[in-house]
Amino acid sequence: MNNARFAISLHILTLLEKAKGELLSSDYIAGSININPVLVRKELINLRNQGFVESKEGKNGGSFLAKSANNITLDQVYTSVRQNNLLGVSKNDPNPHCPVGKQINHHLNALYDSTEQVLIQELSKKTLADFSKQFI
């Protein structure tokens, strides 16, 4: 992946799953991830918009899972934060008169798309609960 949003979101969701409904503050979550709480809050907004997380505002507020970890698959998390193709995009403008150059971007895009579909298919086989079980 060409950004850290999937890892950050999965970290947040795993913490919330382990909390078993207890409200976790963005400061607490940020301390676990070792990033700025502002970045955590931005991801929490996205996770809330996707229906994974709910939040309670105020002094004793925080976030919690909006649904069972068994009902959140990792492909859902991945697609909720996906910004670019897994392998990137070609920014090259090859020679249109070259037999390879005139077709390379089309074939690269097809390769990138099919590779990402394999990743998404594998992630769809795992739930947040499955992932969370690895942490004791």
Side-chain angles (χ1 to χ4, degrees), residues 7-20:
I8 291 169
S9 292
L10 196 51
H11 194 139
I12 291 168
L13 292 171
T14 303
L15 284 171
L16 295 178
E17 193 282 328
K18 290 296 189 190
K20 304 294 183 203

Side-chain angles (χ1 to χ4, degrees), residues 62-119:
S63 297
F64 58 96
L65 284 183
K67 57 185 178 178
S68 167
N70 288 314
N71 295 326
I72 300 172
T73 57
L74 300 189
D75 67 308
Q76 293 171 327
V77 178
Y78 175 79
T79 56
S80 77
V81 299
R82 180 185 179 276
Q83 293 177 318
N84 301 311
N85 283 332
L86 176 65
L87 298 174
V89 293
S90 175
K91 300 205 185 244
N92 189 18
D93 192 13
N95 183 344
H97 303 293
C98 171
V100 173
K102 68 182 178 184
Q103 298 179 53
I104 190 73
N105 286 338
H106 170 74
H107 294 297
L108 283 173
N109 288 336
L111 175 65
Y112 295 170
D113 290 344
S114 66
T115 302
E116 188 169 43
Q117 288 308 309
V118 171
L119 170 69

